[in-house]
Amino acid sequence: MSTPLTRNLNLNGENRTVTVPDEGEQLLYVLRNALGQHGPKFGCGVSQCGACTVLLDGQIRRSCVTPLRTVAEGANVETLDGLGTPEHPHPIQQAFIDEQAAQCAYCINGIVMGALGWLRQRRAAGNTTVPTQEEIAAFLSGEAEGSTLNYICRCGAHVRIMRAIRKAAEVAL
Amino acid sequence: MRTAELTRRGFLAGAGTLAVSFAFAPTANAAPGRGIQIDDTTLAWLLLDRHGISIHSGKVELGTGVQTALTQIVLEELRLTNAEVRYAQGDTRLTPDQGTTAGSKTIQNGGPQLRRAAATAFHALLGLAAQHFGVPATQLVARDGSFSAPGNGRPITYTQLLARSDIVLAADPDAPLAAAGDYRLVGQSVDRVDLPEKVTARFTYLQDVRLAGMLHGRVIRPNGRNARFVSITPESLTKAQAIPGFVDVVQQGNFVGVVAMTEWAAIQAAAPATGIVVVWEDGQPLVAQDTFDQALRDPAHHYRTVTEVSVGDVDAALSSAAVTTQASYQTPFHMHAAMGPSCSIADVRATPDRKTGVQVTVWSGSQGVYALRNTLAALLGLTPAAVHVIYEEAAGCYGHNGADDVAADAALLSRAAGKPVRVQWSRQNEHGWEPLGPAMAHDLRGGVTDGGIVAWEHNLYTPTHGSRPNGSPGTVLAGLLTGALPASLPTSAGNSGGRNAPVTYAFPNNRLVARLVRSFETVGTTNQPEAPLRYRFPRTTALRSLGGFSNTFANESFVDELAVAGGVDPLELRLRSLDDPRALAVMEALRDVWTTRPTVEGVGAGLAFARYETEFTYVAVYAEVSVAAATGVVRVRRVVVAHDCGLVINPDGLRNQIEGCVIQGISRTLKEEVQLDARGVTSVVWSSYPVLRFSEVPTIETILIDRPEEPAWGAGEPAINPMPAAIANAVYAATGARIRTLPMTPARVLAALAELTP
């Protein structure tokens, strides 16, 4: 039996209310279907690829394995949709444009959101250095300290993606 | 991007349009001058009007950047450096049938035609300007969208010239083209036009398209390729019906799907733990994965043997060669494994629209919307004109993946539900059921005399690499599952399983024999499927470079083996065996890095060369690896690619494609292998089908040999071909162990190291 649930969320700075018939519905589908977000992507549904990544109260989360019932009332949800616009991109988005760091770009949502969350967390922990390529690679491969989440790019834009994250860290952090 | 604002007939409605028809393939009915058929479906269009410039193209953007490169080509000929160009693509009611967007052929074939169309438009404008100023065209200067006649009044813009007339032209094959020396945009690393929207989530991918009143569908696949539907358990149906938003379960033969009001309800209804449970009966088992090497070579699985190359007397040359050697190679089934699982929306109506006659509208990421249209029409028992397929960009595809299959799934579910239905495959659907790149096997023999290759024989064994939709319902899964038979198997290896099997080297005695492996039971020894359909091997199709990946692995590994056997440097042996200056140039471009390769313990470097389709782009690759003797882990540390695809349109876009080939090539060489049991694919998530991680990516250097006076050839696939052999040759250099079977997993490398005599 499914239990309905209503949640108030702060989505990209706006208060939004959603009601779902089943509290087990994953945040990914709530964001994409009820809240009209294009950023979070369905990639695997089992937290193995990263396409669905969002920031939940500042934490990197795989929205495909985050049931709405586990999302706190009033939680802050950040998606790629809320960062910047084509006319005024966020610095990390600008870095991806500058480095032409994509091919099909389906993976870019998750990589940008994950990297943003990671860079912010580093800074919050007092680390103000620009991460090295090895650190960036380790983060994206789920091999960094405290992070086991792997990000997949199937087109092979890896080198550019790592350059873009480094550039974003240089200019914005 | 749905750019349906123009229709073929519609664009002449307002004054001030310059329309140039052009064909991507030569066509007889494109007579120059007025009076051509404006709705001729064999032609594409370049339009200039007061709203700007539009291209109506049957070739589609698949995430590789061709939209940007084609835009550069158009603007160059129009003497513009910056203008927005709208790109209407892949729409069976709006754009022409230009076949499949595949094979690295969009820039190669589409680019020159588009260039001539733009040049035709420019010279028409030039003529109008000459009339306007009353001076010869040669006295006019074109700059940034206007013409001026020095000392002869104010400039006049293209738009002002067009405001006075409508002009319809056929692309003039003899229209003078901008000289290579004058290029301002072509040859420049222009930024991708689509990335700002994509990195800010403003872009609407196919997966983001939502229609009013749309339902959500999910498919439930059989538990085996040859399994048969028995029943849906009544208790599971009751459970599914209690899911809020559940609409229906649809079963037709072995095709089963669910439809619901919401995506979450559809997911719940399709999962056995929360919804429908189907009982299946096992069918004929597939050939066992651990026997593929023998099975591919087993005549019982061959339906045809084709001699594709026969030069000189190979047997005599082998028996008289100073040194001979032989080797066998194997590659596994690979998957496209798109980041975004296949998706489609279908809107199947009970009756055709009275005005348009369209009864079915389908939004799809297909590489060939017309072939899909004809296939869906046959599946649904309608005429092709009743089906409208609209391309929407999905995740990168790398060939024929599940994009067409899911459209047919959506069509069957929409027809049953009477509403538009969006079907999103799960990851398990995608990994488990997408058509695969086939496993292949190769046996080679060769002889060396006086440091030159005098004999060469390649026997290859391949299932089909071509099962794209062709108008027959059996070319999509929904058709197969509802009882249609697949298309007949090909009668030659050709530029498919045989792609890049013929070498570019000028060997005096050379034989290539292809044995074609039957994927399913056929009628006797023919290539025709036998009913009921029973697979021996999984369904296979076009995956990036088709047979070129495996054939080049075998060929270029074996060149290395002959170099070792003959005591010749691998670079020198290749240079001696090539007589084409452009082939020699890409090899020579690697000389420095080759001669300064590291000589550290456990590190090695390898070379490989291939000319794409033995006819187009030249690629030479240097790969440097380290091999950990204790673990068997191969790491590719550095890759240098020398690449000649003729005229370079966009160097950065080209580098992006080459880097993609390198990384996907390493991934397929070191890690990827579809896992199968007697029923079907068992590697249905990323953890069981691992691909290269960010931490495993090497430094990549690209040496682009630009040839502005030569045609521009495709670059989406050529550089993947030499990757596996360059790595294998590097592993040999590092360890003395020759890995002849992919992927080069740690276990396989350790086994090879253990076999080395100390």
Side-chain angles (χ1 to χ4, degrees), chain B residues 7-72:
Chain B
T7 66
R8 284 182 193 289
R9 290 179 186 281
F11 59 66
L12 282 183
T17 300
L18 171 56
V20 185
S21 66
F22 64 99
F24 278 78
T27 170
N29 60 356
R34 286 165 183 269
I36 63 160
Q37 287 294 314
I38 198 72
D39 60 344
D40 188 328
T41 53
T42 64
L43 299 171
W45 296 93
L46 174 68
L47 307 173
L48 280 69
D49 61 20
R50 64 184 186 281
H51 304 296
I53 303 165
S54 303
I55 300 166
H56 283 211
S57 167
K59 295 285 187 187
V60 299
E61 173 63 78
L62 296 164
T64 60
V66 295
Q67 184 181 346
T68 305
L70 292 175
T71 298
Q72 284 176 259

Side-chain angles (χ1 to χ4, degrees), chain A residues 1-2 21-26 29 32-33 37-46 48-51 64 80-90 93-94 96-109 111-112 133-134 136-138 140-143 148-163, chain B residues 62-64 190-192 194-205 207-208 210 216 218 242-244 262-264 267-268 335-341 393-396 398 422 424-428 543-544 651-653 655-657 659-661 663-664 667-668 672 685-689 691-700:
Chain A
M1 285 304 290
S2 38
D22 176 6
E23 61 175 11
E25 179 166 344
Q26 306 291 352
Y29 304 104
R32 288 180 55 77
N33 295 325
Q37 303 295 289
H38 281 197
K41 290 278 183 284
F42 172 70
C44 69
V46 288
Q48 290 183 2
C49 77
C64 74
L80 187 67
D81 307 60
L83 282 192
T85 64
E87 296 73 32
H88 301 287
H90 182 280
Q93 292 169 322
Q94 184 64 53
F96 274 72
I97 295 168
D98 290 346
E99 295 298 331
Q100 295 287 290
Q103 283 189 28
C104 82
Y106 195 91
C107 68
I108 293 301
N109 165 77
I111 288 169
V112 167
Q133 157 126 355
E134 289 69 30
I136 294 168
L140 292 171
S141 306
E143 296 161 2
T148 57
L149 297 174
N150 183 44
Y151 295 81
I152 291 173
C153 161
R154 183 59 170 155
C155 294
H158 299 61
V159 177
R160 292 154 180 271
I161 287 168
M162 291 191 277
R163 267 203 316 258
Chain B
L62 296 164
T64 60
V190 172
D191 278 1
R192 285 263 299 264
D194 51 339
L195 283 193
E197 285 202 332
K198 286 177 176 166
V199 304
T200 54
R202 296 307 188 272
F203 187 77
T204 301
Y205 287 90
Q207 284 88 345
D208 301 320
R210 298 289 184 274
H216 291 268
R218 284 293 187 278
I243 295 170
T262 67
E263 189 167 19
W264 184 246
I267 292 168
Q268 300 301 103
M335 54 176 82
H336 307 78
M339 269 299 284
E393 190 176 338
Y398 329 110
R422 172 183 185 269
Q424 167 70 69
W425 277 10
S426 67
R427 174 53 57 194
Q428 292 82 352
L543 169 62
R544 202 172 199 169
D652 188 65
R655 285 200 167 92
N656 202 344
Q657 286 306 299
E659 289 162 15
C661 280
I663 289 171
Q664 208 172 76
S667 185
R668 288 172 66 181
E672 297 183 30
V685 286
W686 293 108
S687 54
S688 48
Y689 188 82
V691 297
L692 205 69
R693 289 179 174 234
F694 276 86
S695 57
E696 297 167 325
V697 168
T699 60
I700 303 171

Side-chain angles (χ1 to χ4, degrees), chain B residues 524-547:
Chain B
T525 55
T526 71
N527 62 339
Q528 295 155 22
E530 185 180 64
L533 179 62
R534 282 152 297 150
Y535 280 103
R536 294 186 182 191
F537 297 94
R539 186 175 60 132
T540 51
T541 194
L543 169 62
R544 202 172 199 169
S545 203
L546 284 63

Side-chain angles (χ1 to χ4, degrees), chain B residues 493-582:
Chain B
N495 189 22
S496 179
R499 179 174 297 175
N500 275 101
V503 290
T504 302
Y505 305 111
F507 299 143
N509 303 286
N510 182 355
R511 181 163 60 214
L512 169 66
V513 180
R515 286 171 182 82
L516 308 183
V517 175
R518 60 166 70 83
S519 308
F520 38 71
E521 302 302 333
T522 60
V523 177
T525 55
T526 71
N527 62 339
Q528 295 155 22
E530 185 180 64
L533 179 62
R534 282 152 297 150
Y535 280 103
R536 294 186 182 191
F537 297 94
R539 186 175 60 132
T540 51
T541 194
L543 169 62
R544 202 172 199 169
S545 203
L546 284 63
F549 181 84
S550 193
N551 287 321
T552 308
F553 169 54
N555 286 338
E556 288 295 297
S557 293
F558 195 60
V559 168
D560 213 67
E561 300 210 42
L562 288 172
V564 172
V568 197
D569 176 86
L571 176 62
E572 294 305 327
L573 181 60
R574 286 184 173 86
L575 292 171
R576 272 176 215 172
S577 309
L578 292 166
D579 54 13
D580 178 334
R582 290 173 70 176

